[in-house]
Amino acid sequence: MRDLGVGFSYLLKGQRWVARHGKQYGFGLLPGLITLVLYAAALVALALWGAAFVAWATPFADDWSSPWLGLFRGFLTAVLFALALLLSVLTFTAVTLLVGQPFYENLSEKVDRDVSPDGTAPESGLPLWRELWISARDSLRIVFRALLWGVLLFALGFIPVVGQTVVPVIGFVVTGFFLTEELTAVALQRRGVELRDRLALLRSRKTLVWGFGTPLGVAFLVPFVAVFLMPGAVAGATLMARELLGEETVEENAEDAEDADDGAATDDKRVTR
């Protein structure tokens, strides 16, 4: 259970890092704003023409008598919109990272340099077009997995009691895992870690991943919050990626030095006595 708190602390550390680096935070907002506008336009269009789409997709119900026709198509319209909202939450991060690949790569590298003992950051050595291709390919794979989970959980939501209690909790946990994978991918791809290895790495520290991604997934349900948290989420995920790979950070060194000082002070006290 300790890892849950550690994972959450990385989320907070990432937000503090971007708060201290205002310029990076400003650039990091742009991809989220672009994606938010695109998603909002799609949801508004669905709200306006969703009923017409359902009517077009269910011609077999045209001859049904009232009120069954209205109830049936109204239910399907509500289901369609709810599913669209769920998929928006599951895919927002992947699309934002894809749109803002150069921005977030730059931000992640600066975090690495800031906390690395030697002030350096790992580099992939690949041209930009290659990095974009790998990012797009891996994002599609993750989105596909997320869609499968989303459809499954949505269907399970119709089970009485369980669907209204257990399933939403599982949904947030699953969402948190996929969010963390997408965010840590920015730092791990630069280190040449393939998707299969990234997933295995995250599964080895599930509670750490849930502690980071689940609160973030809950926060992303609030309109506009995802846009403002994304830069800090990328920064925090970079810090967490370093722990997953066992890399030292300046902060860890500082803690070690502090412990050493405390130990030295204790020895001095013993000598004095």
Side-chain angles (χ1 to χ4, degrees), residues 91-176:
T91 61
F92 182 87
T93 301
V95 175
T96 302
L97 290 173
L98 187 59
V99 171
Q101 177 76 9
F103 294 94
Y104 295 131
E105 280 284 352
N106 183 262
L107 189 153
S108 179
E109 285 183 17
K110 281 183 165 49
V111 172
D112 268 324
R113 289 195 185 96
D114 190 44
V115 302
S116 175
D118 58 4
T120 62
E123 296 181 3
S124 65
L126 299 174
L128 179 60
W129 71 267
R130 179 68 177 167
E131 290 183 350
L132 289 173
W133 162 249
I134 293 173
S135 179
R137 181 197 65 191
D138 290 350
S139 292
L140 285 175
R141 291 175 177 174
I142 290 299
V143 167
F144 179 72
R145 286 178 168 87
L147 290 178
L148 290 179
W149 272 100
V151 172
L152 174 62
L153 292 172
F154 187 80
L156 292 176
F158 291 100
I159 300 175
V161 182
V162 174
Q164 293 74 50
T165 53
V166 178
V167 172
V169 174
I170 296 175
F172 283 122
V173 170
V174 171
T175 299

